[in-house]
Amino acid sequence: MDLGFTAEQESFRIEVRDWLAQNLERPWRVESRDPSHDADSLVEVRRRWQSRLNDAGYLGMSWPQEWGGRGASEVEQAILQEELIRADAPGIVNGLGLGLLAPALIHHGTEEQRRRFIPKMLSAEEIWCQGFSEPGAGSDLAALRTQAEPDGADYRITGQKVWTTFGPWSDWIFVLARTDPEDRHGGISFFLVPIDQPGVEVRELKQITGHSEFGEVFFDGALAKGEHLVGKVGEGWRIAMTVLGFERGAASLAPPASYERQIDGMIAALRETGEYENPSVREKVGQLLVENEVMRANGMRTLATLASGQAPGPESSIEKIYWSEFHQRLTDTALDLLGPKAQLEAGPQGALQDVNWGYEYLWSRAGTIYSGSSEIQRNIIAKRVLHLPTAR
Amino acid sequence: MDLGFTAEQESFRIEVRDWLAQNLERPWRVESRDPSHDADSLVEVRRRWQSRLNDAGYLGMSWPQEWGGRGASEVEQAILQEELIRADAPGIVNGLGLGLLAPALIHHGTEEQRRRFIPKMLSAEEIWCQGFSEPGAGSDLAALRTQAEPDGADYRITGQKVWTTFGPWSDWIFVLARTDPEDRHGGISFFLVPIDQPGVEVRELKQITGHSEFGEVFFDGALAKGEHLVGKVGEGWRIAMTVLGFERGAASLAPPASYERQIDGMIAALRETGEYENPSVREKVGQLLVENEVMRANGMRTLATLASGQAPGPESSIEKIYWSEFHQRLTDTALDLLGPKAQLEAGPQGALQDVNWGYEYLWSRAGTIYSGSSEIQRNIIAKRVLHLPTAR
Amino acid sequence: MRFDLGDEHSLLRSSTRELLEQEAPLSEMRSVMEQSIEGYSKPLHSKLGDLGYPGLLLPEADGGMGPIAFAVVLEEMGRVALPGPFLDQALAVWLLAACENKVAAEWCRRAAKGDTLVVLARREWGARTARSVATPSFSDGRVRGRATFVPFGAQADALLVETNEGLVLAERPGTGWEAQDLPTLDHAQRFAEIELDVAGALVADSSTARSALAKIDPLAALGAAAMLLGVMDRALEVTTAYLSERSAFGAPIGSFQALQHRCADMLLQTESARSAVYRASWAAESGAPDDAYLAAVAKAYAGPAARFVCGQALQLHGGVGFTWEYDLHIYLKRTKTLEQFHGSTGSQIEAALLLRDAQ
Amino acid sequence: MRFDLGDEHSLLRSSTRELLEQEAPLSEMRSVMEQSIEGYSKPLHSKLGDLGYPGLLLPEADGGMGPIAFAVVLEEMGRVALPGPFLDQALAVWLLAACENKVAAEWCRRAAKGDTLVVLARREWGARTARSVATPSFSDGRVRGRATFVPFGAQADALLVETNEGLVLAERPGTGWEAQDLPTLDHAQRFAEIELDVAGALVADSSTARSALAKIDPLAALGAAAMLLGVMDRALEVTTAYLSERSAFGAPIGSFQALQHRCADMLLQTESARSAVYRASWAAESGAPDDAYLAAVAKAYAGPAARFVCGQALQLHGGVGFTWEYDLHIYLKRTKTLEQFHGSTGSQIEAALLLRDAQ
């Protein structure tokens, strides 16, 4: 067992920290809290920040060298993610593109597709969104009904996608669409579709947080060129399932780093009012701290397993359930302990530190639903990890 | 809405209290804690106590007058049960006989059966145990396999029953046995079987508490006389399901009264050590108190519904889940707050008050399993109360 | 004993439900919450005033109907997540009457008819996170200081301010006072922080005020608990309907046992909250000695129960429950407001302990 | 980075498992727990001594193998719910060595070989429910006072007693001392209350004692957490096997989704405890500055996790799990002992907060 970092990895961490100290514009979060702030400016912040990260060589670090890679392992990527969160850096705008689509192209795409799409995806010149979920196909993704009809060498896409992050700002969308209505999994193919065309309409989808970084995308005979089919016809499901497992290690230290910031914010606020001395308060905060530290242990384990060349199995479902349900417990407890003032946004009424608890409370409701709901994850654990019998 | 008791009911309560003050031998619990105390003496305590209750007319109060009834409603029965618990009276020995078998005889038995069995069941001259569960038929009771083969006008019983409370001390057992192997529910009949005969063997079944008031009963061609069939052949399932719902109201105030005694015991112990001032301790105790008081509200509601002539539906599953899971939370919290000393039995090491927490902690594990496990109860709620769809 | 409502209360329930369904369906209230300055429907509140609702808690001679009726009405309002200061107003009306003071009586009369909005500014509100709370003070006919988290304080015509000297009635001066919005995550319930330096009338001395406030606390807890009951009742109803309609993996998702058991737990908590609320309302109605204790119990239970039920309602709806368009988040957010105000869960638990000891 | 055990530790695990399966299967240990006076297998503990197990925590030169090995061994012992004072003994051996005292060194040598049983009598044990704890005192070469909840105190050959003056080694005199059994619900773990008035040797002054005890606490937490991990790991294993075999309503009960999700939660907590325990053992092994903090975290998590897993294991077994004959209750009871001793969950949470602040 070795859960430590090598000297090289530690010096990479220092490099990242130094770079962040010089490159991160601190007021971005303050700016994003301003009531006049809108989703456009949030996307712009993320786009600029991604471009800067790309210039510094911090994106796609584990990819082949020609696509921006620098031979980095999952460990370096995890260190980078951890430092980004500790420094409270903004997110990037092409997170799903780089996390899902780029690996799909690298492993299953054509050389032309890689050349055409990867550089601009990295630089954030082109923004990508993901077209997987549909109103009738969420947890049961394979029930998707968006159709791709052949049209000469090309395809015409008709249907509706939802939960397309940054959909309203995107240039392209990668879409799972049905090329065979009879074959549940084998009838799904993977397409790249430009959004600026007559057959595509994007609407903002307002969330319970009041924000609208998600969208709905409506296709009505939209053109997907034949050269923009990824893999072969009918391989879409397999490709999607493969890439959904990629880059897992890179994210394994991010949630505990993020929640630790939030816990520290809560502790600071509780110290200020003197309530941190109350044994009941301490026990609740301590419980959260313990659970968060255990989550970090889980993350280090996943990372170490990957780093030693082994593939973690469906145990990653454990991490998904853990961080998403923990975030709900954390924000629940924070609102209880901090009272209504914690919900106030920044301003003269004395908003609490860095954490917008009202937003976090609401946002935490999404984590147990997206990327495979907690229920789906528990099904996976029961079947693929514990091998419990299937209902007849 | 009227959740109060009438003047008559209140005076019945006073009558019960007075009677208890004069008739309850207090040291019974102390005696039962003595290490030299054994199950025989516990049964004897219960037998004596039942006989005394019967002499005073407190058993079968709602039955027809000729079988000991005094025209009492569920409310009087609930008041009686509540006062018995508040006074920390012992249980009776024929609880299941009086609660399940007697109503079955009154509603489905012959006049001869009633005359033969009810008086001695009331007086505790004959002890009865219940033969429903089997090793392979617990939650799925209808899967029972104990056979009843016709033998002239009589029947021969072969099979095994488990969880027969007071089985090792019983004179008779009421048994569900299969008269038709093909008909899942309609092939079950209801028999009364004497235990003191060659074809019946009873073994003690030791529980995780270390006590053995349960038994296993083995039948090997045991004789059940034709005159001791209750109802008709094939009516056993229906009769059992009907009587399982009886006397529900009578028990609805008992669990909160019992747990309130335990909570008070915990509070007294915490006051003694000064820990009751700790906000974390207060919050946990207060939470239990709140939940217990809500349980009492549920019980009053059931009672009021019955008293106004309405039948409570499968909502009684709510009460079963509530009290059984609450008892686990209560004993869990008590052991946490009181520490290892709470587990010590009475003695010079300073056992805590009236409550044997170690025993209660273990015993609380049974409540979510017997009489329809929590899982079965949730199935019932989903299907019969919420009318959720059935899996195809 | 009987648990179901008598004729009078059943009629009140059905007429209230009808009124709210007609005049305040959530579909219409959504635009009011989101677009109007005051955040609630003034016409509806006028109508409620015409019908005598704000005076529910008054003695029968003054048009009141008692605590059971109060709980019934609040439960119905919870079912539609009604925005606005109804609960605060009804409590203020009771309190104004309890002052037994002429000025207060006049305001009570007007507030009970819904002509004016009077709300209470409590010392404790917002105290959870402030090391020291500056209590407004009263002297020389003026009330001075800061009141915070005043419900609908920016919309109120007058405040009933808790000061060390007693309860002070302060009418909003023509030029307005300094009321600053305190936006919480429940955008439909408005709170304000108010800098006061205005003329006021002492309508209850500190001892009268103390005893009146001690009685208003359990009524506030009961009202909030009843509203929470309505909220979760409706959230569960919507959820079981959705689970019966929505399919995945070739079956209605309501047939999946894990979801069925979740719904069973939601029902358990909802019906238990109902038992607790009704029992507390009956205790208050019949003047039982444990009425305050039972109100604290009901509120302490209903808050976390509604949080569980509404949280699970969102979860069981999947993505659609996370959309602004869908109504469920209104229920989730209202739960949070109701849980944090009118005595937070933690403070109700402590109150229950103290009240039990005092019995 | 790598998570799996290296060769040395893997070998230790497999040889320990083999040893315990052969020499201490629960089927045999049951009769020892239930019938022998001492409650554990002395021959097995002799054998463990011969093999050097009690000295696991000693420096390598003295036969120690380090904290990872310690955790591996305790996890295996948890899997068979091994009765007896192994953990207490291993901690006492480490502490005797840390005293750097001649008398202590001699006892350390003998205890490490399993020839004698030395256990620690801590001041805090049992303190949770006693307003004032009488600390034994040392003067004139004698230790006097009452030590309570001493693990296997009635079986020990010597006690290492925490006094205000430092650590005192007190050998059991020929006539025995006043040791009274304190039966807890885990009948297999024995505790005693001991009235001391015997000759003793001060083997560590108060400052040496303080610093040694500060180091023993995290090791005790780590050991207990590792044992809890083994307990829950085995309880889950037994449960999933049972669910695959047992049928009801015409299907294996493991195919019911509600039970599957319960098992998923049991796995989540078991594997998370594993991550926490292994991480803490690695931190202790590598001398990381947060080793004590991580040990507190592991114990604070593993206790409630094991309680959940073992409780659910019983529930999912239905009636059979409630029988004495079946082994599951041994696991449930051991969890309770491990949770309440070696720093209860609440005290580990507080320790984690304090240690984090101190970093």
Side-chain angles (χ1 to χ4, degrees):
Chain A
M1 198 184 332
D2 177 7
L3 298 177
F5 298 109
T6 64
E8 289 77 27
Q9 288 161 348
E10 290 291 8
S11 72
F12 174 72
R13 186 187 290 280
I14 302 293
E15 175 207 311
V16 172
R17 257 185 219 173
D18 289 348
W19 183 85
L20 281 168
Q22 287 171 22
N23 288 274
L24 183 61
E25 296 165 26
R26 285 294 305 176
W28 77 271
R29 186 181 281 275
V30 176
E31 178 191 333
S32 75
R33 286 239 183 101
D34 191 286
S36 69
H37 173 87
D38 61 12
D40 287 347
S41 56
L42 177 69
V43 170
E44 192 43 39
V45 164
R46 285 172 165 246
R47 184 204 282 272
R48 277 207 315 272
W49 179 242
Q50 181 184 330
S51 158
R52 191 170 288 194
L53 278 171
N54 188 45
D55 292 345
Y58 287 134
L59 299 182
M61 292 194 304
S62 67
W63 298 352
Q65 212 169 344
E66 57 176 317
W67 307 120
R70 49 196 270 180
S73 73
E74 289 88 351
V75 180
E76 278 82 13
Q77 292 179 76
I79 288 172
L80 173 68
Q81 293 304 324
E82 196 178 29
E83 290 302 322
L84 286 168
I85 281 171
R86 284 188 180 161
D88 199 18
I92 60 175
V93 73
N94 260 341
L96 288 171
L98 295 175
L100 298 176
L101 176 56
L105 293 178
I106 289 171
H107 293 277
H108 307 278
T110 64
E111 185 63 15
E112 289 68 34
Q113 288 171 343
R114 290 192 273 266
R115 289 218 187 130
R116 164 65 189 84
F117 294 116
I118 291 180
K120 290 187 173 173
M121 198 189 303
L122 282 166
S123 66
E125 280 167 88
E126 288 178 346
I127 300 184
W128 283 85
C129 62
Q130 178 199 33
F132 284 9
S133 298
E134 300 184 4
S139 283
D140 184 9
L141 185 57
L144 62 86
R145 293 192 300 181
T146 292
Q147 296 252 351
E149 297 272 347
D151 179 4
D154 301 328
Y155 294 84
R156 292 285 169 183
I157 313 281
T158 301
Q160 183 191 349
K161 295 290 179 181
V162 287
W163 306 114
T164 52
T165 310
F166 295 129
W169 294 269
S170 291
D171 305 295
W172 287 81
I173 180 168
F174 53 105
V175 172
L176 288 183
R178 192 156 283 291
T179 40
D180 180 349
E182 303 300 321
D183 188 345
R184 185 169 149 91
H185 293 108
I188 294 172
S189 303
F190 195 123
F191 296 96
L192 311 178
V193 185
I195 283 182
D196 186 15
Q197 60 165 311
V200 179
E201 190 195 341
V202 183
R203 291 186 205 147
E204 289 192 6
L205 183 59
K206 195 169 172 184
Q207 305 141 35
I208 68 172
T209 57
H211 298 75
S212 313
E213 65 254 28
F214 291 147
E216 294 175 288
V217 182
F218 298 82
F219 300 96
D220 183 11
L223 179 70
K225 290 208 180 152
E227 66 203 71
H228 294 157
L229 169 69
V230 180
K232 300 209 181 74
V233 169
E235 287 187 346
W237 181 260
R238 195 172 58 79
I239 294 173
M241 290 302 109
T242 319
V243 297
L244 280 173
F246 280 161
E247 307 271 324
R248 186 185 292 142
S252 59
L253 301 183
S258 166
Y259 301 145
E260 181 148 20
R261 285 193 66 250
Q262 299 190 7
I263 293 172
D264 280 332
M266 173 169 42
I267 291 176
L270 290 167
R271 277 194 206 281
E272 214 170 284
T273 60
E275 294 202 85
Y276 196 52
E277 302 308 310
N278 180 320
S280 162
V281 169
R282 288 182 73 78
E283 191 171 16
K284 286 172 187 164
V285 173
Q287 177 64 31
L288 292 171
L289 190 73
V290 163
E291 290 181 23
N292 195 54
E293 206 58 65
V294 173
M295 193 190 330
R296 182 176 283 128
N298 277 336
M300 291 172 73
R301 173 179 176 179
T302 299
L303 193 58
T305 303
L306 285 163
S308 59
Q310 293 162 283
E315 293 90 340
S316 64
S317 291
I318 289 177
E319 285 190 75
K320 170 74 205 312
I321 296 175
Y322 199 126
W323 69 251
S324 60
E325 297 188 351
F326 176 76
H327 195 203
Q328 294 182 354
R329 290 194 293 276
L330 167 60
T331 56
D332 246 3
T333 304
L335 285 190
D336 278 354
L337 296 184
L338 299 171
K341 278 209 172 174
Q343 297 175 32
L344 298 179
E345 281 157 32
Q349 298 92 2
L352 293 157
Q353 279 69 20
D354 270 356
V355 191
N356 183 346
W357 287 108
Y359 173 83
E360 293 293 335
Y361 177 74
L362 295 172
W363 177 244
S364 77
R365 298 284 146 187
T368 51
I369 296 169
Y370 67 66
S371 293
S373 68
S374 290
E375 288 77 16
I376 293 291
Q377 304 296 350
R378 287 190 168 87
N379 285 347
I380 292 173
I381 291 174
K383 280 167 198 154
R384 298 199 216 147
V385 187
L386 294 171
H387 306 293
L388 287 167
T390 307
R392 277 173 275 179
Chain B
M1 199 182 337
D2 177 6
L3 298 177
F5 298 110
T6 64
E8 288 76 26
Q9 288 161 347
E10 292 290 9
S11 72
F12 175 73
R13 187 187 289 280
I14 302 293
E15 173 207 315
V16 171
R17 258 184 218 172
D18 289 347
W19 184 85
L20 281 167
Q22 286 171 22
N23 288 274
L24 183 60
E25 296 165 27
R26 286 294 304 176
W28 77 271
R29 187 180 280 277
V30 176
E31 178 191 334
S32 76
R33 287 240 182 101
D34 190 287
S36 69
H37 173 86
D38 61 12
D40 287 346
S41 55
L42 178 69
V43 170
E44 192 42 41
V45 164
R46 284 172 165 248
R47 184 204 281 272
R48 276 205 317 269
W49 179 242
Q50 181 183 330
S51 158
R52 191 170 288 192
L53 279 170
N54 188 46
D55 292 345
Y58 286 133
L59 298 182
M61 292 194 303
S62 67
W63 297 352
Q65 211 170 343
E66 58 175 318
W67 306 120
R70 49 198 272 184
S73 74
E74 290 87 351
V75 180
E76 277 81 12
Q77 292 178 75
I79 289 172
L80 173 67
Q81 294 304 323
E82 197 178 28
E83 290 302 321
L84 285 168
I85 282 171
R86 284 189 180 161
D88 199 18
I92 59 175
V93 72
N94 260 341
L96 288 171
L98 295 175
L100 298 176
L101 176 57
L105 294 179
I106 290 170
H107 293 277
H108 307 279
T110 63
E111 185 62 17
E112 288 69 33
Q113 288 172 343
R114 290 192 275 267
R115 287 217 189 133
R116 164 66 189 83
F117 294 115
I118 291 181
K120 289 186 173 174
M121 197 188 304
L122 281 167
S123 66
E125 281 166 87
E126 287 177 346
I127 300 185
W128 282 85
C129 63
Q130 178 200 31
F132 285 8
S133 298
E134 299 183 5
S139 283
D140 184 9
L141 184 58
L144 62 88
R145 293 192 300 181
T146 293
Q147 295 251 353
E149 298 272 344
D151 178 3
D154 301 329
Y155 294 84
R156 292 286 168 181
I157 313 282
T158 301
Q160 183 191 351
K161 296 290 179 181
V162 286
W163 305 116
T164 51
T165 309
F166 295 130
W169 294 268
S170 291
D171 305 295
W172 286 81
I173 180 167
F174 52 106
V175 173
L176 290 182
R178 192 157 282 292
T179 39
D180 180 349
E182 304 299 321
D183 187 344
R184 187 170 149 90
H185 293 109
I188 293 173
S189 303
F190 195 123
F191 296 96
L192 311 179
V193 185
I195 284 183
D196 186 16
Q197 61 165 309
V200 179
E201 192 196 339
V202 183
R203 291 186 205 148
E204 289 193 6
L205 182 60
K206 195 168 171 185
Q207 306 141 33
I208 69 172
T209 56
H211 298 77
S212 312
E213 66 253 26
F214 291 148
E216 294 175 289
V217 182
F218 297 82
F219 300 96
D220 183 10
L223 179 71
K225 290 206 181 157
E227 66 202 70
H228 294 155
L229 168 70
V230 180
K232 299 209 179 76
V233 170
E235 286 187 346
W237 181 261
R238 193 173 59 77
I239 294 173
M241 290 303 109
T242 319
V243 297
L244 280 174
F246 279 161
E247 306 273 326
R248 186 186 291 141
S252 60
L253 300 183
S258 166
Y259 301 146
E260 182 148 21
R261 286 193 66 249
Q262 300 189 6
I263 293 172
D264 280 332
M266 173 167 44
I267 291 176
L270 290 167
R271 275 194 208 280
E272 213 170 284
T273 61
E275 292 202 86
Y276 196 53
E277 302 308 310
N278 180 319
S280 161
V281 170
R282 287 183 74 79
E283 192 172 14
K284 285 172 188 166
V285 173
Q287 177 64 33
L288 292 172
L289 190 73
V290 163
E291 290 181 23
N292 195 54
E293 206 58 66
V294 173
M295 192 189 332
R296 182 176 284 128
N298 277 335
M300 290 172 74
R301 173 179 175 179
T302 299
L303 193 58
T305 303
L306 284 164
S308 59
Q310 292 161 284
E315 293 89 341
S316 64
S317 292
I318 289 177
E319 285 191 75
K320 171 74 204 315
I321 296 173
Y322 199 126
W323 69 252
S324 60
E325 298 189 349
F326 175 77
H327 194 204
Q328 294 182 354
R329 292 195 292 277
L330 167 60
T331 56
D332 247 4
T333 305
L335 285 190
D336 278 355
L337 295 184
L338 299 172
K341 278 209 174 175
Q343 298 175 32
L344 299 179
E345 281 157 30
Q349 298 92 3
L352 293 158
Q353 279 69 21
D354 270 355
V355 191
N356 182 345
W357 288 108
Y359 173 83
E360 293 293 334
Y361 177 73
L362 296 172
W363 177 245
S364 76
R365 299 284 147 188
T368 51
I369 295 169
Y370 68 64
S371 294
S373 68
S374 290
E375 289 76 17
I376 293 291
Q377 304 295 350
R378 287 189 169 86
N379 285 347
I380 292 173
I381 292 174
K383 279 167 199 155
R384 298 199 217 148
V385 186
L386 294 171
H387 305 292
L388 288 168
T390 307
R392 277 174 275 177
Chain C
M1 291 179 97
R2 64 181 301 143
F3 183 73
D4 53 0
L5 299 175
D7 288 345
E8 189 193 12
H9 292 133
S10 292
L11 186 65
L12 177 66
R13 176 187 297 288
S14 57
S15 61
T16 303
R17 185 170 297 192
E18 203 176 319
L19 175 74
L20 294 173
E21 276 172 2
Q22 277 173 19
E23 308 278 332
L26 195 43
S27 53
E28 281 178 29
M29 286 301 109
R30 292 288 304 257
S31 59
V32 173
M33 292 179 202
E34 289 164 31
Q35 285 149 29
S36 77
I37 292 173
E38 57 275 11
Y40 68 98
S41 164
K42 288 200 158 184
L44 175 75
H45 275 69
S46 282
K47 188 149 202 170
L48 289 171
D50 292 344
L51 295 168
Y53 278 94
L56 267 180
L57 288 170
L58 293 178
E60 214 170 318
D62 300 327
M65 286 184 69
I68 295 178
F70 175 64
V72 163
V73 166
L74 266 300
E75 182 189 345
E76 290 302 319
M77 291 177 173
R79 282 180 54 89
V80 296
L82 188 74
F86 178 81
L87 173 56
D88 307 291
Q89 193 182 7
L91 295 170
V93 166
W94 184 91
L95 199 58
L96 286 165
C99 289
E100 300 193 358
N101 166 289
K102 249 172 115 177
V103 177
E106 173 57 18
W107 280 93
C108 175
R109 198 185 52 73
R110 287 160 59 193
K113 285 198 301 180
D115 291 346
T116 63
L117 177 60
V118 185
V119 295
L120 179 60
R122 284 303 288 274
R123 200 190 327 229
E124 289 82 2
W125 290 334
R128 195 76 211 250
T129 60
R131 193 184 278 272
S132 66
V133 183
T135 307
S137 65
F138 181 73
S139 60
D140 306 330
R142 290 185 82 78
V143 57
R144 293 185 186 85
R146 181 186 296 173
T148 191
F149 280 102
V150 182
F152 293 88
Q155 290 77 21
D157 301 301
L159 296 188
L160 197 51
V161 187
E162 183 184 3
T163 72
N164 287 332
E165 292 73 27
L167 286 170
V168 176
L169 197 118
E171 190 174 358
R172 178 193 289 273
T175 55
W177 48 41
E178 284 284 326
Q180 183 151 33
D181 268 342
L182 297 182
T184 66
L185 54 77
D186 182 358
H187 295 294
Q189 294 301 97
R190 306 297 169 87
F191 297 92
E193 185 158 291
I194 306 180
E195 281 294 341
L196 290 162
D197 185 355
V198 291
L202 190 73
V203 294
D205 61 24
S206 60
S207 115
T208 309
R210 217 173 9 252
S211 80
L213 288 170
K215 282 182 200 151
I216 203 84
D217 279 339
L219 289 171
L222 174 62
M227 204 162 182
L228 284 161
L229 168 62
V231 163
M232 66 183 122
D233 192 44
R234 179 68 185 150
L236 174 58
E237 201 172 278
V238 168
T239 302
T240 52
Y242 182 79
L243 292 184
S244 303
E245 282 160 21
R246 171 91 178 176
S247 284
F249 305 106
I253 61 176
S255 68
F256 294 123
Q257 196 192 28
L259 308 195
Q260 291 189 337
H261 282 201
R262 205 87 55 81
C263 288
D265 286 330
M266 293 162 76
L267 182 80
L268 185 149
Q269 297 200 22
T270 303
E271 291 306 316
S272 299
R274 184 183 312 285
S275 304
V277 167
Y278 287 15
R279 182 179 173 209
S281 74
W282 181 82
E285 183 108 356
S286 60
D290 56 357
D291 62 342
Y293 165 68
L294 292 173
V297 164
K299 174 73 164 65
Y301 186 85
R307 187 200 302 202
F308 171 77
V309 170
C310 292
Q312 289 303 325
L314 251 83
Q315 179 68 21
L316 294 173
H317 275 77
V320 73
F322 198 69
T323 60
W324 185 270
E325 203 182 335
Y326 213 79
D327 290 335
L328 276 181
H329 68 109
I330 310 277
Y331 290 86
L332 184 76
K333 292 168 179 174
R334 183 61 47 84
T335 293
K336 185 49 77 187
T337 319
L338 288 167
E339 215 190 329
Q340 292 196 321
F341 291 90
H342 310 293
S344 68
T345 302
S347 67
Q348 296 292 2
I349 289 174
E350 179 64 23
L353 280 181
L354 293 174
L355 287 161
R356 181 169 181 265
D357 283 349
Q359 272 168 42
Chain D
M1 291 178 95
R2 65 180 300 144
F3 183 73
D4 52 2
L5 299 175
D7 290 344
E8 190 193 11
H9 293 134
S10 293
L11 186 64
L12 177 66
R13 177 188 295 289
S14 56
S15 61
T16 303
R17 185 170 296 191
E18 203 176 319
L19 176 73
L20 294 173
E21 277 172 3
Q22 276 174 18
E23 308 277 332
L26 195 43
S27 53
E28 281 178 30
M29 286 300 110
R30 291 287 305 258
S31 59
V32 173
M33 291 179 202
E34 289 165 30
Q35 284 149 28
S36 76
I37 292 174
E38 57 274 10
Y40 68 99
S41 164
K42 287 200 158 184
L44 175 75
H45 275 69
S46 282
K47 189 150 202 170
L48 289 170
D50 292 345
L51 294 167
Y53 278 93
L56 266 179
L57 288 171
L58 294 176
E60 215 171 317
D62 301 326
M65 288 185 68
I68 294 178
F70 175 64
V72 163
V73 167
L74 266 300
E75 183 190 344
E76 290 302 319
M77 291 177 171
R79 282 180 55 89
V80 295
L82 187 73
F86 178 81
L87 174 56
D88 308 290
Q89 192 182 9
L91 294 170
V93 165
W94 183 92
L95 199 58
L96 286 165
C99 288
E100 300 193 358
N101 166 288
K102 249 170 113 180
V103 176
E106 174 54 19
W107 281 92
C108 176
R109 199 184 51 74
R110 288 160 58 193
K113 287 198 301 180
D115 292 346
T116 63
L117 177 60
V118 184
V119 295
L120 180 60
R122 285 301 290 273
R123 199 187 332 224
E124 290 82 3
W125 290 335
R128 194 76 210 248
T129 59
R131 193 185 279 273
S132 65
V133 183
T135 307
S137 64
F138 180 75
S139 60
D140 306 329
R142 291 185 81 78
V143 58
R144 293 186 186 82
R146 180 186 298 174
T148 191
F149 280 103
V150 182
F152 294 87
Q155 290 77 21
D157 300 301
L159 295 188
L160 196 50
V161 186
E162 183 184 1
T163 72
N164 286 332
E165 293 73 27
L167 286 170
V168 176
L169 196 118
E171 189 174 358
R172 178 193 288 272
T175 55
W177 47 41
E178 284 283 327
Q180 182 152 35
D181 267 342
L182 298 181
T184 66
L185 55 78
D186 183 358
H187 295 294
Q189 294 302 97
R190 306 297 168 87
F191 298 92
E193 184 159 291
I194 306 179
E195 281 294 340
L196 290 162
D197 186 355
V198 291
L202 190 73
V203 294
D205 62 23
S206 61
S207 116
T208 309
R210 217 176 6 254
S211 81
L213 288 169
K215 281 181 198 150
I216 204 85
D217 280 340
L219 289 171
L222 174 61
M227 205 162 181
L228 283 160
L229 169 61
V231 163
M232 68 183 117
D233 192 43
R234 179 67 185 150
L236 174 57
E237 202 172 280
V238 167
T239 302
T240 53
Y242 182 78
L243 292 184
S244 302
E245 284 160 21
R246 170 91 179 176
S247 283
F249 305 106
I253 61 176
S255 69
F256 294 122
Q257 196 191 28
L259 309 195
Q260 292 189 337
H261 282 200
R262 204 88 55 80
C263 288
D265 286 331
M266 292 163 77
L267 182 79
L268 184 148
Q269 297 200 23
T270 303
E271 291 306 316
S272 298
R274 186 184 309 287
S275 304
V277 167
Y278 287 16
R279 182 179 173 209
S281 74
W282 181 82
E285 182 107 357
S286 61
D290 56 356
D291 61 341
Y293 165 68
L294 291 174
V297 164
K299 173 73 164 66
Y301 186 85
R307 188 200 303 203
F308 170 77
V309 170
C310 292
Q312 289 303 325
L314 251 82
Q315 178 68 22
L316 294 174
H317 274 77
V320 72
F322 197 68
T323 59
W324 184 271
E325 204 181 335
Y326 213 79
D327 290 334
L328 276 180
H329 68 109
I330 310 278
Y331 290 85
L332 183 77
K333 292 168 180 174
R334 184 61 47 83
T335 293
K336 185 48 76 188
T337 318
L338 288 166
E339 216 189 329
Q340 292 196 321
F341 291 90
H342 310 294
S344 68
T345 302
S347 67
Q348 295 292 1
I349 289 175
E350 179 64 23
L353 281 181
L354 293 173
L355 287 162
R356 182 170 181 264
D357 282 350
Q359 272 170 43

